Amino acid sequence: MNQANPNQDRADGALSNDMPEAVHADGMRILWDVPIPMSDGVVLRADVFLPQEPGRHAALLSYGAYGKGVPMQVGYKSAYDRMVRDFPDIAEGSSNKYMNWEVIDPEKWVPDGFVCIRVDSRGAGRSPGVLDPTSEQETKDIYECIEWAAAQPWSNGKIGMNGISYYASNQWYVAALRPPHLAAICVWEGFVDRYRDAARHGGIYSQFGEGWYERQVLRIQHGYGERGARNPNNGELVCGPQTLSDEELAANRAPKMSNESLNRPLDDAFYSSRKPDVSRIEVPLLSAANWGGMGVHPRGNFEGYLDAGSSQKWLEVHGNSHFSPFYRAEGVELQKRFLGHFLQGKDTGWDRQPPVQLQIRRPGEHFTIRDEQEWPLARTQWTKYYLEPATRTLGTTPATGASIAYQAMSEGLVFKLPPAREEIEITGPIAARLVVSSRTADADLFLALRLYAPDGKEVLFVGSNDPRVPIALGWLRASHRKLDTAKSLPYRPYHTHDELQPLVPGEPVVLDIEILPTSIVIPPGYTLALNVRGCDYDHGLGDAGFSDQPYPMTGVGPFRHANPQDRPPEVFGGENTLHFGEGNEPFILLPIIPAKGA
C-alpha cells in the first residue's frame, strides 16, 4: 500500500525545498525527498531512514545513479529472486520493500541505531542537474552531502559509507578529499583505477560500459518522469515530476563514458582526473574483494587496500555473486562490527579483527574463512612454472624449443601441470612472462587460469557477474607492454599505458602480464592449466540464459573485448606466435601457500 508523501510535487513541476515530515512505517521514521542544497545552487534529493527513538545517531550515506526509489525486486527482479532462492536468510527479518540495488537494507540497520541516507546523484532520479556518473562533480557533491548529514539534529557527527560497486568506488574518491565528518568507509567490490580496473584491461577496451550506461543509468535520468517507474513505497515518480523530451534529456547529461573510453586508448588526463589519490585516505576502511569479480570488481579492492594511507585498514575477500555476500547474514554482521566500532563506539570485537580475512576457495563453491596478517601472504612460495612447448605442460625448469603459432580467435594454447598428487593452495596475485610475435603491428593476449577435474571437465565458479567463471584472468595489448619500473613487482607488473610501442611483424617481444589475484585449493587428481589466447575466455558450455541479461554469459559476463573499432580484425584477428628462446623462457609465477606447519 502506498504511503502519502508530505513533500508533494508542486504544480509547476518542481519539488518543495521544505524539510518533509516523517512517515512512520516498518519500525522507522522515513523522510522522503529531503532537499540537500549544493554550493552551486543545485538541490539534491535524499531518502532518510531514521530510528523511531529520538536522539543523535551514526549515519550511513550512499550516493549513486541507480534510483533511490527503485526497490531491488522491481528494478532487478531476476537477480533478487536468484539471490533469495540461494540464500533465504537474506529475506529474513525485513519486508525487503526498501532494499535497493547495491546499498544496505534500512530495515536491517535502523533497528541497530543507524540512520540510512540514500542520495540520488546529480542528474539522476529525483535530483536535478547534469548527469555525469563518477565525475569530479559527483565527488564534490558527496563531500557536501557528508557535511550536510553531520550537521543534522539527528546526527552524532560521524558519517560512514557502505555499498557495492558504484556505491563503493565513489568512497575511494571522496575519502581522498578528507571530509571532516567522514568517519569510516566500507568499500565492497569497488574499482579504484578507472583505466586499469574497468575501462581498459591491459589496454584492451572493455565493452561493459556500453551496456551499463544504457541499461542502468539512462533509464534513471532525472526528467524521465512519467516514462519511468514509480516508487511503490510512496507512489512518487522515481525520476522526478517532470517528463522531458529526448532532446532535453540529452542536453542534461555528459558524453557517454564508454565513448570516452573507446576513443582514449592511453591513460591520459581524462582518466587521471577520475583516479583518486588513495594515499590521502586517512579514515578507517574495510575493503571487500571478490575472487570471481574479474572484469571490474576485484583489482581495485586489493590495490586500494595496499595504497590507502589509513593506519586502520582491513581487507576481506570472498567468492560467489556480486551481491549475495553483501546481503547475507555473515556479510551484514561483518559490516556492522566494523561500522558499529568506528561510528557508534560499540564494543563489537573489531579491535581484535585481523588485518586480512580470506575465504579460501575450493571446487564446488566451498570456502574456508582464514585470518591473515598481510597481503600478499608473507609465507608465499613464489614459484615459476615454465611453459614447455613440446609437451604443452608446465614445469619448474626452463624450457626451450620450437615456436608455436596459434589463431588469435581460437581456443589458443593450453599448458597444464601434472595432476596434483596432494592438495595445493594458490592464493595471491599472479604474473606471467611470455615472448610473443604477430604477423601484424599488434597483438592482444588473453590469459585464463583454469582447473580440470579428474574426469577432464573444467571446474567453474560463481563469479560476481557470471555464474560460471574460471580461476583467474589477465589481459595485455602488446603495444602497451611498457612497464612502470617504480610500481612493478615480480608478481604484479604495472604498465604505464602512456605510449604505444607497435610490434614489428614477426619480431618477438617480451610481455609481462598481470593476472588478477585469486585463491584456489587444488585437490589431488585435479589439473591446473594456463590458457594463452587472443580473444575472450569462453568455457564452451553456452549461455547461462538469465532472462534479464542482454548479454550472453559464457565465462566473462559483460566484460567483453570485441569492439571492432578497438580490435580491428585485420590487426587482432590473425595469427600470433609464442616463442621459447634461451634466456627468455616463458613462465607463470604462482603464489603457492604451504600448509600450516609445513
Side-chain angles (χ1 to χ4, degrees):
M1 183 171 62
N2 292 341
Q3 302 162 354
N5 184 355
N7 189 31
Q8 293 293 329
D9 301 341
R10 299 203 316 243
D12 61 4
L15 287 168
S16 168
N17 284 336
D18 296 331
M19 184 64 69
E21 295 182 5
V23 172
H24 293 261
D26 300 299
M28 302 178 290
R29 290 180 292 147
I30 306 173
L31 303 174
W32 300 112
D33 280 333
V34 175
I36 306 180
M38 298 291 101
S39 56
D40 64 354
V42 171
V43 177
L44 305 184
R45 295 287 164 174
D47 292 340
V48 181
F49 301 84
L50 295 148
Q52 292 279 25
E53 304 78 16
R56 295 183 178 273
H57 308 278
L60 294 172
L61 184 143
S62 59
Y63 174 109
Y66 296 161
K68 63 182 177 61
V70 183
M72 188 173 176
Q73 307 95 305
V74 175
Y76 301 86
K77 185 179 187 306
S78 176
Y80 176 83
D81 290 345
R82 294 195 307 272
M83 180 176 69
V84 298
R85 178 200 66 201
D86 295 341
F87 303 104
D89 66 284
I90 291 174
E92 296 172 359
S94 171
S95 71
N96 302 297
K97 63 187 182 183
Y98 305 104
M99 180 185 286
N100 280 180
W101 180 249
E102 298 187 338
V103 297
I104 62 174
D105 179 356
E107 288 186 85
K108 294 283 184 78
W109 288 78
V110 170
D112 283 344
F114 289 95
V115 175
C116 298
I117 307 168
R118 293 176 177 167
V119 185
D120 274 337
S121 60
R122 181 182 294 242
R126 305 281 287 183
S127 295
V130 175
L131 180 68
D132 192 5
T134 71
S135 64
E136 289 182 279
Q137 181 61 60
E138 280 204 349
T139 304
K140 294 175 183 176
D141 288 346
I142 300 170
Y143 184 112
E144 294 193 38
C145 288
I146 290 168
E147 295 307 299
W148 170 88
Q152 299 309 300
W154 36 256
S155 172
N156 71 355
K158 292 185 177 182
I159 311 301
M161 297 187 71
N162 191 12
I164 313 172
S165 193
Y166 193 123
Y167 299 95
S169 294
N170 57 26
Q171 297 178 48
W172 297 119
Y173 287 66
V174 73
L177 297 184
R178 300 177 179 173
H181 291 91
L182 181 63
I185 57 174
C186 182
V187 187
W188 201 279
E189 299 187 32
F191 68 80
V192 70
D193 183 331
R194 172 169 295 282
Y195 185 95
R196 291 164 182 80
D197 299 347
R200 286 187 166 267
H201 300 131
I204 308 169
Y205 171 71
S206 169
Q207 295 172 274
F208 169 72
E210 298 172 1
W212 169 78
Y213 194 70
E214 300 286 343
R215 184 174 62 253
Q216 292 185 256
V217 177
L218 289 189
R219 66 191 182 101
I220 305 296
Q221 185 177 357
H222 182 77
Y224 211 61
E226 293 286 354
R227 292 188 286 176
R230 285 187 180 271
N231 183 341
N233 295 308
N234 64 12
E236 299 296 336
L237 290 166
V238 166
C239 300
Q242 293 180 305
T243 303
L244 303 180
S245 67
D246 289 342
E247 292 75 17
E248 290 172 311
L249 290 172
N252 283 342
R253 59 179 180 251
K256 287 178 62 175
M257 186 71 65
S258 57
N259 290 347
E260 294 285 351
S261 299
L262 181 59
N263 295 322
R264 296 175 180 273
L266 298 177
D267 188 9
D268 59 14
F270 170 79
Y271 297 105
S272 61
S273 69
R274 294 169 183 258
K275 181 181 178 181
D277 180 1
V278 295
S279 68
R280 287 181 45 82
I281 294 177
E282 296 179 331
V283 296
L285 72 93
L286 171 59
S287 178
N290 188 326
W291 301 122
M294 296 166 287
V296 72
H297 294 119
R299 186 181 185 276
N301 283 101
F302 290 105
E303 296 293 314
Y305 166 76
L306 291 171
D307 293 342
S310 176
S311 61
Q312 300 181 89
K313 56 184 180 180
W314 289 264
L315 174 68
E316 186 273 348
V317 194
H318 52 266
N320 209 273
S321 74
H322 182 40
F323 33 81
S324 300
F326 181 81
Y327 290 108
R328 289 192 66 189
E330 62 185 33
V332 174
E333 189 269 340
L334 180 77
Q335 298 159 41
K336 284 185 177 180
R337 285 200 297 116
F338 170 68
L339 294 165
H341 177 78
F342 287 106
L343 302 184
Q344 297 175 314
K346 291 182 177 179
D347 180 9
T348 65
W350 194 261
D351 56 335
R352 299 180 294 279
Q353 179 75 11
V356 175
Q357 183 180 94
L358 307 178
Q359 293 192 19
I360 304 302
R361 183 168 59 175
R362 286 175 167 81
E365 296 301 312
H366 298 298
F367 296 90
T368 302
I369 295 178
R370 192 172 73 205
D371 296 338
E372 298 288 351
Q373 295 301 311
E374 70 286 307
W375 179 266
L377 307 187
R379 66 183 182 280
T380 302
Q381 296 176 351
W382 299 102
T383 306
K384 289 182 180 179
Y385 288 93
Y386 293 89
L387 283 62
E388 298 184 350
T391 59
R392 303 288 177 91
T393 58
L394 296 169
T396 54
T397 58
T400 59
S403 60
I404 307 175
Y406 63 94
Q407 293 299 313
M409 304 309 290
S410 72
E411 176 74 8
L413 306 174
V414 178
F415 298 84
K416 295 183 177 181
L417 280 173
R421 295 183 179 180
E422 58 186 18
E423 193 172 79
I424 302 172
E425 180 186 336
I426 296 171
T427 296
I430 301 171
R433 175 170 292 178
L434 303 180
V435 184
V436 176
S437 68
S438 170
R439 289 187 174 182
T440 69
D442 215 338
D444 283 346
L445 278 296
F446 295 76
L447 303 186
L449 197 63
R450 307 170 73 168
L451 184 67
Y452 295 90
D455 63 3
K457 292 183 179 179
E458 185 172 8
V459 180
L460 300 169
F461 301 88
V462 176
S464 67
N465 295 84
D466 193 301
R468 297 178 298 194
V469 301
I471 299 171
L473 296 173
W475 311 263
L476 183 65
R477 176 159 290 174
S479 60
H480 287 241
R481 63 189 177 276
K482 178 183 174 184
L483 290 171
D484 185 326
T485 56
K487 293 183 178 180
S488 288
L489 297 165
Y491 52 78
R492 199 287 316 268
Y494 191 96
H495 299 89
T496 62
H497 299 293
D498 61 0
E499 66 171 306
L500 298 179
Q501 297 180 335
L503 300 178
V504 175
E507 184 175 306
V509 296
V510 176
L511 305 178
D512 290 290
I513 304 173
E514 175 186 13
I515 300 176
L516 296 179
T518 194
S519 176
I520 182 64
V521 176
I522 304 171
Y526 283 63
T527 300
L528 185 74
L530 175 66
N531 183 193
V532 180
R533 49 200 295 145
C535 59
D536 280 314
Y537 165 85
D538 188 325
H539 47 54
L541 301 176
D543 185 6
F546 293 150
S547 60
D548 62 340
Q549 297 298 348
Y551 47 82
M553 288 189 171
T554 55
V556 296
F559 308 109
R560 299 179 174 275
H561 308 79
N563 185 289
Q565 179 180 328
D566 182 68
R567 301 191 71 222
E570 62 271 19
V571 177
F572 298 100
E575 184 178 270
N576 300 332
T577 301
L578 193 59
H579 298 266
F580 299 83
E582 186 174 352
N584 270 327
E585 299 89 351
F587 63 84
I588 182 171
L589 181 65
L590 294 179
I592 307 298
I593 307 301
K596 290 291 182 72

